[in-house]
Amino acid sequence: EQREFHRGQLVVHAALIFVHWSSFNFSFISRGAMILLDAGNVTLREEVRNFCAQAKSFLSGEAEKCRSRDQAVLDFDDVEARLRTEGTTGTVFVAIPNFAQFKQFGVEAVLKEKFGDRLGPGVNYMDTDYDLSITFDVANESNTDALVEDIALVRRHVFAAPFKHVFELAAAGKTLDKAAEVKVRSSESIFLTPTKEGGAVVVFQVSFSEPNDMIVADVFMKEFREARRDHSLGQAPSVAFQKTAPQELNGLNVAQGPQIGFISFGLFARHFESARIDKTITSLSTFRNFLHYHIKCAKAYMHIRMRKRVESFQQILNRAKPEAVGQVQKKTASGKSFLQK
């Protein structure tokens, strides 16, 4: 009987989980403001800022010495940075997978514009091949706050190169024979192509580790499409999510599969005009991580609700007591026991 009781509990729990999964309402996505991820590396920003503050204290005589640092920091898309300091001089080494592909889009000019003479070549340090380095002396820096922010955004600046390249082609009315591909992970790429109308299409190839993630992503992207019905968001880019490669990728050998999806953004010229281009690039360069972050948040929210519901149902089951059958043992007021028939 006890085994049957526990088995019944498991059946009820499984049914409850299924009901909550199938009837879960994603309206919470549109009720509150979306959480936007910081485009910069928070840890790298704090490390460089603390070093600059310590170096300034040393230069002003408030501190007796400037402590040396050697700190490795990881970022999204397998990007790795390392801060090494000596005295008031600091060097940030950055390793970016497939960095060579960014050179065809003019990444060196983009980085030179941001860092100037501080930009240096990559080196091999601590068994890691770094693709570029940024060296600076706090004693010679007039605006360390801006420098700290640019160093924290170094990944964003590298990824900005292909976007700027394609947006410039679109503004000039030029097109490409086939979409430009930027490999960001082993199984994921970003494809960019200008359109004949002067706009641009950006396609994200996204690999989902679990089949359920693609279901959540599909519902998530529907919220993006529904948002465009709001008059205040009518000028937002068009968004499409599909499980097969869109026509913009014709002529390319693109990997497809049951757990690979394609998210397309249709941009108009107004989205990459001079006043908006930086914000557009920042949003697009962090979109993949933004999507996966909210998928995990949605799943965590579902699991919390399911656990609370299961726990409340468990309490109801525990409170349920079967009625006694046959003779029942009772006690008198004096404490003596007797059987009631």
Side-chain angles (χ1 to χ4, degrees), residues 227-292:
R228 296 189 76 241
R229 296 186 179 183
D230 188 335
H231 294 296
S232 62
L233 300 175
Q235 294 187 342
S238 60
V239 183
F241 175 76
Q242 55 195 91
K243 298 180 181 179
T244 57
Q247 62 179 4
E248 287 83 7
L249 305 187
N250 291 342
L252 295 174
N253 184 18
V254 182
Q256 302 184 58
Q259 292 181 209
I260 295 179
F262 296 87
I263 302 171
S264 304
F265 287 92
L267 305 177
F268 301 101
R270 61 176 176 269
H271 294 129
F272 45 84
E273 59 188 13
S274 58
R276 296 182 178 179
I277 186 170
D278 287 336
K279 186 176 181 180
T280 298
I281 290 175
T282 299
S283 299
L284 290 171
S285 64
T286 58
F287 172 74
R288 187 260 177 200
N289 306 313
F290 165 83
L291 173 64
H292 279 280

Side-chain angles (χ1 to χ4, degrees), residues 118-325:
R118 307 182 192 93
L119 185 66
V123 298
N124 182 283
Y125 180 67
M126 299 292 288
D127 297 328
T128 301
D129 290 325
Y130 292 98
D131 300 294
L132 60 98
S133 60
I134 304 165
T135 303
F136 59 97
D137 190 339
V138 177
N140 300 327
E141 296 294 336
S142 58
N143 189 353
T144 55
D145 290 339
L147 175 62
V148 168
E149 192 60 27
D150 279 332
I151 291 176
L153 291 168
V154 64
R155 172 193 163 278
R156 180 265 179 205
H157 295 328
V158 171
F159 277 75
F163 288 103
K164 283 189 175 182
H165 175 74
V166 171
F167 292 163
E168 288 173 358
L169 291 177
K174 299 179 181 179
T175 59
L176 296 173
D177 295 334
K178 58 182 181 180
E181 179 180 3
V182 180
K183 197 79 173 175
V184 293
R185 286 170 174 260
S186 59
S187 58
E188 297 184 8
S189 296
I190 301 175
F191 302 91
L192 307 98
T193 182
T195 63
K196 296 179 180 179
E197 296 77 17
V201 176
V202 180
V203 181
F204 289 85
Q205 178 190 34
V206 184
S207 177
F208 298 96
S209 57
E210 299 179 8
N212 291 337
D213 287 2
M214 180 173 284
I215 298 174
V216 178
D218 188 18
V219 179
F220 187 82
M221 298 313 300
K222 285 180 181 177
E223 292 291 334
F224 270 66
R225 294 195 292 272
E226 291 296 323
R228 296 189 76 241
R229 296 186 179 183
D230 188 335
H231 294 296
S232 62
L233 300 175
Q235 294 187 342
S238 60
V239 183
F241 175 76
Q242 55 195 91
K243 298 180 181 179
T244 57
Q247 62 179 4
E248 287 83 7
L249 305 187
N250 291 342
L252 295 174
N253 184 18
V254 182
Q256 302 184 58
Q259 292 181 209
I260 295 179
F262 296 87
I263 302 171
S264 304
F265 287 92
L267 305 177
F268 301 101
R270 61 176 176 269
H271 294 129
F272 45 84
E273 59 188 13
S274 58
R276 296 182 178 179
I277 186 170
D278 287 336
K279 186 176 181 180
T280 298
I281 290 175
T282 299
S283 299
L284 290 171
S285 64
T286 58
F287 172 74
R288 187 260 177 200
N289 306 313
F290 165 83
L291 173 64
H292 279 280
Y293 172 79
H294 282 284
I295 288 175
K296 289 177 173 60
C297 287
K299 292 173 68 176
Y301 179 71
M302 283 188 285
H303 292 162
I304 291 172
R305 287 187 59 180
M306 288 188 292
R307 280 195 294 269
K308 287 184 177 179
R309 198 61 189 273
V310 169
E311 288 172 0
S312 65
F313 199 80
Q314 180 73 56
Q315 292 175 357
I316 296 174
L317 291 176
N318 291 337
R319 288 196 299 267
K321 295 182 180 180
E323 295 182 1
V325 180

Side-chain angles (χ1 to χ4, degrees), residues 13-64:
H13 291 176
L16 185 62
I17 291 173
F18 173 77
V19 169
H20 273 265
W21 174 267
S22 60
S23 63
F24 180 72
N25 190 342
F26 282 85
S27 60
F28 75 97
I29 291 178
S30 58
R31 283 203 303 264
M34 301 298 292
I35 298 175
L36 299 177
L37 300 181
D38 191 339
N41 188 304
V42 178
T43 305
L44 183 60
R45 181 188 290 118
E46 289 300 317
E47 288 292 331
V48 178
R49 180 182 291 137
N50 292 340
F51 163 67
C52 291
Q54 187 182 51
K56 288 180 180 179
S57 297
F58 172 73
L59 292 170
S60 64
E62 297 178 8
E64 296 181 357

